[in-house]
Amino acid sequence: VLVVLGEQWAPCVFLFRAFCVVQLLMAVGSLHGVMHTALGYPFRLMRLYGVMLGVMAPALFVAAHYGVNAIAVPWLVVYPLVWVGWTAVTLKTVEIPWRHYWQRGCAPIIYAGGIIGVVAGVQFGMNEVGWLSSSWTVVMIQEMALVGMLYAGYLVLKEKDTLAELHSLRGVH
């Protein structure tokens, strides 16, 4: 945020980080909407938007009175609760047990959350020992390199079949 938008956005760094976490759920939730529409239930997506408007708008209104960082609270607490409900409706519709969903569908989300935790921990540790650069550009490059290495590790550990299939496509013209 600071590298791209400048120091005047410093108070919003925590809020933008919270949005990054919530985007993991939003990405999966958007697929749920596509699934409902494809199955002939587009009205369910409209109901979700109605629930979001009725729940998130008041929560954001209240949170805004406590400052910029407080706006993250509804996104980190209320939105995940709505997401769980939306996911429950979707899983019931397509008859997928929660256990299967978590085992197969949420592993990438859980791993992404782990990456966020590792990056935050490394950044905290570097700050504690005085190794954290004062240049936000350097910090961003370090974070991106660490995320890239951790994601590559995920691909090698958990997506071997996908990588093998992609590799086999290289020879096809």
Side-chain angles (χ1 to χ4, degrees), residues 21-101:
V21 173
V22 173
Q23 279 299 327
L24 295 171
L25 297 177
M26 287 183 164
V28 174
S30 67
L31 295 175
H32 294 177
V34 171
M35 192 178 315
H36 286 286
T37 302
L39 293 171
Y41 304 114
F43 59 88
R44 289 183 179 169
L45 191 55
M46 292 305 294
R47 286 184 186 157
L48 170 69
Y49 292 147
V51 168
M52 290 295 293
L53 182 63
V55 174
M56 285 298 292
L60 289 167
F61 179 78
V62 170
H65 288 34
Y66 295 96
V68 172
N69 287 336
I71 294 171
V73 173
W75 287 108
L76 294 172
V77 176
V78 177
Y79 182 82
L81 294 174
V82 173
W83 182 86
V84 166
W86 178 233
T87 301
V89 170
T90 302
L91 295 179
K92 184 176 180 185
T93 300
V94 295
E95 300 176 357
I96 296 175
W98 274 98
R99 182 174 44 86
H100 290 260
Y101 182 75

Side-chain angles (χ1 to χ4, degrees), residues 63-160:
H65 288 34
Y66 295 96
V68 172
N69 287 336
I71 294 171
V73 173
W75 287 108
L76 294 172
V77 176
V78 177
Y79 182 82
L81 294 174
V82 173
W83 182 86
V84 166
W86 178 233
T87 301
V89 170
T90 302
L91 295 179
K92 184 176 180 185
T93 300
V94 295
E95 300 176 357
I96 296 175
W98 274 98
R99 182 174 44 86
H100 290 260
Y101 182 75
W102 285 113
Q103 286 174 341
R104 293 181 181 94
C106 289
I109 293 173
I110 293 166
Y111 195 83
I115 288 175
I116 292 168
V118 168
V119 169
V122 167
Q123 192 177 45
F124 177 79
M126 289 177 68
N127 189 41
E128 287 297 308
V129 296
W131 292 351
L132 191 64
S133 174
S134 60
S135 167
W136 290 107
T137 304
V138 171
V139 171
M140 183 181 80
I141 291 169
Q142 289 171 336
E143 289 177 352
M144 289 174 61
L146 181 56
V147 167
M149 289 186 297
L150 292 170
Y151 185 66
Y154 168 77
L155 290 175
V156 169
L157 291 174
K158 298 291 186 180
E159 299 290 342
K160 291 178 187 172

